[in-house]
Amino acid sequence: MKARLVALFLALLLLPLGLALWLGVRSVQDGQASAQTQVRAVWTGPLNDLRSRVEAFVQGWEEEFRKSAPQTLLVKTVFQLQNGVVTQPSKYLADGSPEPFFDRTAGLWDQKFWERGAAEGSLAPTAGWKAWTSAEGPSFVYWYRDGQTVRGVELDSWAFLSRLSAALPELSWTQAEGADRVLVLRDASGKVFSQWGRWAMGDAPALLTLPLKAPFDGWEFRLYLAPSALGDSSAQWALLFALVGVGLAGVLALGAWVFFRAWGASLAEAGQRVRFVNQVSHELKTPLTNILLYGELLETSLADRLPPKAREYLDVIRGESGRLGRLITNVLTFARDKPDAPHRRPLVWDDVVEAALKPFGPGLADRELALDWRPGAAGVTGEWDPDWVGQILGNLVSNAEKYAAEGRLVEVSTGTASGEGASVGRDTVWLRVADRGPGIPESAAEKVFVPFARLDDRLTANAAGTGLGLGIARDLARRHGGDLVLERPGRTEVGAAFLLTLPWSAPGTSRGAT
């Protein structure tokens, strides 16, 4: 089963699970929202009653302050304004010191609070409150209009708030009810002025908020309820996530089972294919070896009696057999699980290359390709694997034969390089295979070495091949301690040129990777 089918299978399993999770979450959330709505409906009435008590408390004291002689216990200072000017109290005390009242209320008189509303064309208010908070705490001033005179009182704030606290009722909650809810009255600065209940709300949001009117602007009642008072949904959430967790674990387990089953089947299939390729390739090599052997025997035994046409046919048989042998070798090399190490033995470099070139003569001649062999490493002896060198050279010449036949020429040259200034490396032998074909774009210099990669242009459009040869050739070169690269052509050069470099060492002192 392909990975795409496995992913589709898992998606089909996860889709209903995700839908069930979404429906479960929506159900729990809707239940919580419904419970909160019911609680708000129940508590709106009691909170409005509390606010009405506060308003009645304020109205009672407003009536008290309008009397000609209000209670002195709550009044700190009585003041009077005439035409916007404070006429009572005096700015100075009997001993000549400034009246403290004006310092405490210095920010009020520029506001002309007693005239606010007249600027918009409406009548000036007849009474009102001013409340503010300073470093000394909250302050309250009540005023009312008596004809053309504005009269007012500055309250003793702590006494006034003490009376408010005493006016607030006690709520008839049981001990259990007080443990899962809390109702607070907060002042304008956010401090708790009064509290009912013992539940620690922490950072929990208020379920219901009710603001107060003057002189308690910014004050508000806040109701907090513990989850247990709303109908604890933690059990629902726990059950929901447990079910989702079990479902998800089941889906993952099933997906893992399907994946590993498919993966195991793919591995088994791949292993079977590799074994099949190895077996078939080995089976092919036996008759192929016999064909080559009997072809050589035929040529040897009938060398003087073979007519030219029969010799031509025999050359074709040997050339095509060599081509088939190289193809089988490439397939075996690619399918091998663990690559072998090179089997080095003492060789003459030019002799190795010349021996590897010999089987290509008939095939190149059949395609009207001339072979220009230029040995340049006469007498250079080292340790190399002749089979690997032959396989590398065979792939390079086969590529030139298939893709560069229009150039009519294949150049094969060898040489050595030693010392720091050598262009191909220090103590190195090299082999260059060049053709006069259409060449390879510089952008594809690495792509041609990727297994199964074939250029989709005129280089490969009319030539058959597996795309394994160059990749295998480079791999063999690197496992032999060298490298195989595509040389960058000069401005006047045409075709493609591949350069093989291998370490050069005297027999018995082999160097390089094995």
Side-chain angles (χ1 to χ4, degrees):
M1 185 182 297
K2 294 183 179 180
R4 186 178 299 176
L5 295 179
V6 174
L8 180 61
F9 176 73
L10 290 178
L12 292 176
L13 289 177
L14 290 173
L15 183 62
L17 182 62
L19 180 61
L21 175 61
W22 180 76
L23 291 175
V25 171
R26 284 294 303 270
S27 176
V28 175
Q29 290 177 341
D30 290 345
Q32 289 180 323
S34 176
Q36 291 177 357
T37 301
Q38 294 176 5
V39 169
R40 289 190 185 98
V42 170
W43 279 93
T44 299
L47 289 187
N48 281 327
D49 290 343
L50 287 174
R51 183 167 63 178
S52 297
R53 281 178 175 266
V54 175
E55 292 174 354
F57 166 80
V58 172
Q59 290 174 1
W61 282 107
E62 287 177 355
E63 295 175 0
E64 177 67 25
F65 297 147
R66 288 174 179 271
K67 293 180 180 179
S68 56
Q71 292 187 21
T72 57
L73 180 63
L74 213 60
V75 175
K76 184 181 293 186
T77 306
V78 177
F79 64 89
Q80 180 176 297
L81 288 84
Q82 194 73 33
N83 296 324
V85 178
V86 180
T87 58
Q88 182 185 350
S90 300
K91 292 187 177 182
Y92 298 96
L93 299 176
D95 59 1
S97 60
E99 168 60 54
F101 169 74
F102 291 98
D103 290 335
R104 296 192 299 269
T105 60
L108 293 180
W109 312 114
D110 294 338
Q111 300 177 18
K112 296 186 177 181
F113 52 85
W114 59 90
E115 295 179 355
R116 186 163 298 172
E120 288 80 12
S122 58
L123 296 175
T126 58
W129 288 87
K130 284 297 293 183
W132 70 98
T133 301
S134 63
E136 299 178 358
S139 299
F140 300 93
V141 165
Y142 175 73
W143 62 272
Y144 63 95
R145 192 178 297 277
D146 185 7
Q148 297 299 319
T149 302
V150 175
R151 305 181 188 278
V153 291
E154 177 195 14
L155 304 186
D156 185 326
S157 300
W158 301 115
F160 182 57
L161 294 177
S162 178
R163 298 294 179 90
L164 172 64
S165 179
L168 294 174
E170 289 291 337
L171 298 180
S172 56
W173 290 348
T174 65
Q175 185 174 0
E177 290 173 336
D180 62 5
R181 67 195 65 179
V182 63
L183 174 64
V184 299
L185 175 59
R186 299 199 323 174
D187 62 18
S189 65
K191 295 180 180 179
V192 175
F193 175 77
S194 188
Q195 175 175 326
W196 298 265
R198 303 186 308 279
W199 183 62
M201 64 278 197
D203 296 330
L207 186 64
L208 192 60
T209 301
L210 194 65
L212 301 182
K213 300 179 181 179
F216 301 110
D217 301 288
W219 291 49
E220 58 187 12
F221 286 106
R222 287 194 167 201
L223 175 66
Y224 300 86
L225 292 182
S228 57
L230 289 170
D232 192 0
S233 61
S234 58
Q236 294 175 297
W237 283 111
L239 178 61
L240 174 63
F241 285 115
L243 292 176
V244 171
V246 171
L248 183 59
V251 169
L252 292 178
L254 181 60
W257 178 79
V258 172
F259 174 77
F260 283 110
R261 185 178 178 86
W263 184 47
S266 299
L267 288 179
E269 183 180 357
Q272 187 176 9
R273 289 179 179 177
V274 170
R275 289 190 296 271
F276 172 77
V277 169
N278 284 333
Q279 184 176 359
V280 170
S281 299
H282 281 292
E283 292 293 333
L284 288 175
K285 289 199 75 174
T286 300
L288 182 61
T289 302
N290 290 332
I291 292 173
L292 287 172
L293 175 62
Y294 281 100
E296 292 177 356
L297 291 174
L298 180 63
E299 182 181 15
T300 302
S301 60
L302 300 176
D304 298 332
R305 289 175 288 172
L306 282 175
K309 200 65 176 177
R311 186 176 297 278
E312 180 182 344
Y313 293 158
L314 185 59
D315 289 340
V316 171
I317 292 174
R318 292 175 60 189
E320 293 302 314
S321 298
R323 187 196 309 274
L324 181 58
R326 290 189 295 273
L327 178 60
I328 293 174
T329 301
N330 283 342
V331 172
L332 286 174
T333 302
F334 182 77
R336 191 173 292 121
D337 292 333
K338 294 183 179 180
D340 296 331
H343 300 288
R344 292 181 172 88
R345 65 173 185 265
L347 300 167
V348 178
W349 180 242
D350 283 351
D351 292 348
V352 175
V353 176
E354 186 173 2
L357 283 174
K358 187 176 180 180
F360 286 95
L364 292 175
D366 184 59
R367 297 182 65 89
E368 299 181 354
L369 273 166
L371 177 61
D372 184 6
W373 162 227
R374 301 178 182 180
V380 174
T381 302
E383 290 190 347
W384 302 285
D385 187 324
D387 293 333
W388 283 23
V389 174
Q391 189 174 352
I392 294 171
L393 180 58
N395 282 319
L396 296 178
V397 175
S398 293
N399 273 3
E401 183 181 351
K402 286 188 291 186
Y403 305 126
E406 63 189 67
R408 306 302 181 192
L409 179 65
V410 177
E411 296 178 356
V412 179
S413 56
T414 59
T416 62
S418 298
E420 297 293 341
S423 60
V424 295
R426 185 176 183 180
D427 298 336
T428 303
V429 292
W430 54 264
L431 164 68
R432 179 180 285 108
V433 177
D435 58 57
R436 292 295 179 266
I440 298 174
E442 187 174 345
S443 59
E446 290 299 321
K447 180 180 178 182
V448 294
F449 293 103
V450 178
F452 304 109
R454 288 169 52 83
L455 304 183
D456 190 17
D457 56 15
R458 66 192 184 98
L459 290 175
T460 58
N462 299 319
T466 61
L468 290 175
L470 289 177
I472 291 174
R474 170 177 274 188
D475 180 61
L476 292 175
R478 290 180 174 177
R479 286 196 279 126
H480 207 305
D483 202 359
L484 176 66
V485 297
L486 174 66
E487 286 191 316
R488 183 174 299 178
R491 293 183 178 179
T492 60
E493 293 181 0
V494 294
F498 290 89
L499 180 66
L500 167 67
T501 56
L502 293 178
W504 170 24
S505 56
T509 57
S510 297
R511 296 180 301 179
T514 59

